[in-house]
């Protein structure tokens, strides 16, 4: 026989179906998919509203009512929707993950429905141990009503009922609370949840005899005047978010099916704080914690809106990040941007009130949006040596706009630069240096320059060469004392007279000092590597004010040790005045200088111990 003769193939294994542990699945839903058991009521409302939507697609004049009745640990939810036949019950309610909205030709109308994932009644097992559904089909009027009863162990029964059990089409869902979950089915809790989830639903939804819908939405209502509307929206914001807004911004994006309002926070918040917004999907509250709805720069508003275009996640408690959400985010950001532009053009008082609280948010926007920067130039406040001004006003006063990149650098030079007539902007706050550097792009002809130690020193008056030559022994002693700290000593004459010394450095000097400190503490290998990185950056410098009386007296000393101690004291005082962080070597110097001055003040020789 040929060795290549094919052998009979093994028999194909018989297929099996998964066995679902419903209790385990419910535990998974309650602990991992849903944030709270309260979503059970949203699922019930959602199913009822979808059933009505499906019936009205075939019978436009059909009633649209949902009634909820809670009593004694039970809940009954009735709707006038499309209803189910017995075959529907077997194929839909008993099959996890299948949605009734994908069957019977309704796929094309899915955009009209709230639910997209068919989890439906399964969520009710989070709070109920037993679910009973009685339904009669509007599509098949002659079909008998059907009853589906399920327990949380996964078992269910189906039976038909006499026509008198359900005279009209629609569905009634009965829940019986599981142990420990009765509070979720109490009348008060059901009423509160129904109002929260269904306030914008377009149908007649009631808990008992009390309507829960509040239509039209506050932003869609007619008001006698703009002022009246503003007051009404402020009240709505307070009821919803707990604060009275500075202002409200209409969010109307018809192409995206969005209507709503953004409320401006009355107090400043951190840009890192994630804003939470309320989003309704076709009237049903989807989430109270939508974080990706607006651009990051719009952290100063809280939104509430209704949409029919955004896609929910599987839990229907947040938004799915896709191209539609990205487009909506951009469109809503444009609405807020337009509101700011409108304030700048027509209501400067409201804009000033807004910027006094939220200038950081507008600066964040302006650094990426040249048009917004151009619009906001006359309004955005900056800390400068001329006081708190806009960049527009500051640039009109100074031919060169100097700025520092850190608050510490600004504090070093601000008093001196101001006295010398040099205008400086503090660019150390969030976004400020970026905006100053962008100034020439929106204000052609403006000269912007980062202020460094050389620039400041160049604006200080020099000392007469003969006088400086006479003080060379003093300067040599002072330089010798500060040389180990990587600091040079120069003599200049400047105002104000009350400042005896000025400590100046820049980022390059600080970088070089940090490298030198690391080299000193490193082992031989790393010391060699760090030494090879030594740069030619200028060193920090202590600028002594020759006009200051104290400096004149110190410069007349003829004792090198006392000159050194006095120089160390001036160095430490200059660091403290600039509010610079002190290195361990600087702290040791301050302590040494303080003790040395005390010893000189008590006429004790600091070089000898008093052992008497």
């Amino acid at each position: 026989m040929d060795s290549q003769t094919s052998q009979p193939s093994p028999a194909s294994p018989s297929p099996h179906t998964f066995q679902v542990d419903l209790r385990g699945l419910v535990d998974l839903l309650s602990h991992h998919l849903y944030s709270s058991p309260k979503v059970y009521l949203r699922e019930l409302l959602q199913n009822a509203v979808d059933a009505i939507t499906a019936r009205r697609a075939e019978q436009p004049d059909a009633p649209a009512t949902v009634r909820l009745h809670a009593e004694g640990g039970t809940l009954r939810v009735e709707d006038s929707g499309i209803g189910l036949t017995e075959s529907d019950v077997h194929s839909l309610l008993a099959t996890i993950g299948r949605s009734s909205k994908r069957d019977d030709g309704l796929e094309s109308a899915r955009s009209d429905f709230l639910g997209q994932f068919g989890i439906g009644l399964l969520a009710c097992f989070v709070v109920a141990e037993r679910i009973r559904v009685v339904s009669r089909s509007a599509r098949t009027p002659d079909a008998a009503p059907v009853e589906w009863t399920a327990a949380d162990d996964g078992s269910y029964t189906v039976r038909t009922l006499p026509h008198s059990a359900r005279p009209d089409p629609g569905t009634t869902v009965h829940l019986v609370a599981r142990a420990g979950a009765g509070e979720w089915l109490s009348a008060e809790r059901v009423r509160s949840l129904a109002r929260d989830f269904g306030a914008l639903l377009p149908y007649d939804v009631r808990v008992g005899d009390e309507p829960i819908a509040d239509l039209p939405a506050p932003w869609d209502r007619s008001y006698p005047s703009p002022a009246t509307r503003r007051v009404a929206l402020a009240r709505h914001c307070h009821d919803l978010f707990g604060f009275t807004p500075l202002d409200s911004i209409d969010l109307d994006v018809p192409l995206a099916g969005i209507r709503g309002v953004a409320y401006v926070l009355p107090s400043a918040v951190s840009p890192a704080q994630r804003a939470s917004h309320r989003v309704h999907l076709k009237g049903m509250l989807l989430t109270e914690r939508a974080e990706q709805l607006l651009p990051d720069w719009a952290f100063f508003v809280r939104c509430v809106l209704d949409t029919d275009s955004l896609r929910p996640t599987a839990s229907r408690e947040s938004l799915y990040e896709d191209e539609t959400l990205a487009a909506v985010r951009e469109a809503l950001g444009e609405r807020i941007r337009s509101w700011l532009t409108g304030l700048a053009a027509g209501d400067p008082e409201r804009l000033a009130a807004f910027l006094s609280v939220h200038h950081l948010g507008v600066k964040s926007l302006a650094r990426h949006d040249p048009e917004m920067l151009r619009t906001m130039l006359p309004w955005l406040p900056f800390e400068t040596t001329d006081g708190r001004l806009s960049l527009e006003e500051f640039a009109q006063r100074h031919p060169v706009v100097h700025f520092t990149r850190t608050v510490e650098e600004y504090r070093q030079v601000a008093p001196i630069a101001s006295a010398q007539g040099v205008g400086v902007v503090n660019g150390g706050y969030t976004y400020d240096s970026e905006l100053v550097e962008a100034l020439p792009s929106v204000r052609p002809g403006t000269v912007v320059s980062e202020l460094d130690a050389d620039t400041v020193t160049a604006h200080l008056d020099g000392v007469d060469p003969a006088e400086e030559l006479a003080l060379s022994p003093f300067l040599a002693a002072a330089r010798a004392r500060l040389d180990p700290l990587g600091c040079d000593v120069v003599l200049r004459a400047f105002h104000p007279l009350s400042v005896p010394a000025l400590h100046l450095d820049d980022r390059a000097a600080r970088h070089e000092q940090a490298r030198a400190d690391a080299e000193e503490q490193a082992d031989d290998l790393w010391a060699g590597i760090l030494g090879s990185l030594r740069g030619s950056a200028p060193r920090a410098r202590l600028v002594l004010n020759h006009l200051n009386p104290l400096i004149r007296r110190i410069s007349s000393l003829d004792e090198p040790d006392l000159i050194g101690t006095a120089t160390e004291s001036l160095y430490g005082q200059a660091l403290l005045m600039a509010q610079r962080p002190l290195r361990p070597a600087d702290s040791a110097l301050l302590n040494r200088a303080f003790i040395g001055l005390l010893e000189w003040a008590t006429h004790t020789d600091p070089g000898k111990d008093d052992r008497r």
Side-chain angles (χ1 to χ4, degrees), residues 287-513:
T287 179
E288 301 172 276
R289 299 186 300 276
E291 295 184 347
Q292 306 298 330
L293 190 63
L294 295 180
D296 290 340
W297 55 261
F299 54 82
F300 50 84
V301 299
R302 295 292 179 270
C303 295
V304 54
L305 56 82
D306 188 24
T307 176
D308 58 17
S309 64
L310 296 179
R311 178 182 170 192
T313 58
S315 66
R316 293 192 285 278
E317 293 189 277
S318 58
L319 297 172
Y320 190 83
E321 184 67 50
D322 57 11
E323 292 181 357
T324 301
L325 179 57
V328 166
R329 182 163 49 236
E330 183 177 349
L332 295 180
E334 181 58 37
R335 292 295 182 273
I336 298 173
R337 186 185 289 107
S338 298
W339 169 78
L340 283 169
T341 304
L343 288 187
D347 201 338
E349 290 186 2
R350 285 171 65 197
L351 178 63
F354 167 76
L355 290 178
S356 68
V357 179
H358 295 300
H359 58 273
L360 197 60
V362 181
K363 287 180 177 180
S364 175
L365 168 60
R367 67 194 177 116
H368 297 302
D369 188 332
E371 188 58 38
M372 181 55 62
L373 177 57
R374 186 178 292 106
T375 300
M376 291 291 124
L377 266 182
W379 309 103
L380 286 174
F382 288 78
E383 183 179 355
T384 77
T385 49
D386 291 355
R388 199 159 180 81
L389 299 176
S390 69
L391 286 181
E392 175 69 25
E393 186 175 358
F394 188 82
Q396 290 174 356
R397 297 184 181 186
H398 298 279
V400 178
V401 178
H402 294 287
F403 73 98
T404 63
R405 292 192 181 276
T406 68
V407 175
E408 290 78 10
E409 290 174 349
Y410 178 80
R411 287 170 177 164
Q412 286 184 77
V413 303
I416 309 303
S418 179
Q420 307 304 312
V422 179
V424 184
V425 178
N426 185 354
Y429 296 114
T430 307
Y431 311 133
D432 283 9
S433 62
E434 297 174 68
L435 293 175
V436 175
E437 289 182 297
L439 191 56
S441 66
V442 297
R443 196 178 188 277
T446 303
V447 179
V448 172
S449 175
E450 182 177 354
L451 191 67
D452 56 23
D454 288 335
T455 303
V456 177
T457 305
H459 279 83
L460 304 180
D461 294 333
V463 179
D464 181 83
E467 291 188 58
E468 188 167 1
L469 181 61
L471 295 176
S472 57
F474 160 73
L475 293 174
R479 286 166 182 157
R481 184 59 65 95
L482 294 187
D483 184 69
L485 296 173
C487 183
D488 198 4
V489 177
V490 297
L491 189 65
R492 292 290 187 273
F494 57 87
H495 293 272
L497 300 180
S498 58
V499 177
L502 178 65
H503 181 271
L504 293 177
D505 63 2
D506 51 29
R507 284 178 298 157
R510 287 196 295 276
H511 175 76
E512 174 62 19
Q513 183 61 54

Side-chain angles (χ1 to χ4, degrees), residues 274-290:
R274 303 299 299 181
S276 296
H277 311 288
R278 287 176 64 95
V279 177
H280 294 256
L281 181 61
K282 303 178 184 72
M284 181 75 73
L285 178 65
L286 178 71
T287 179
E288 301 172 276
R289 299 186 300 276

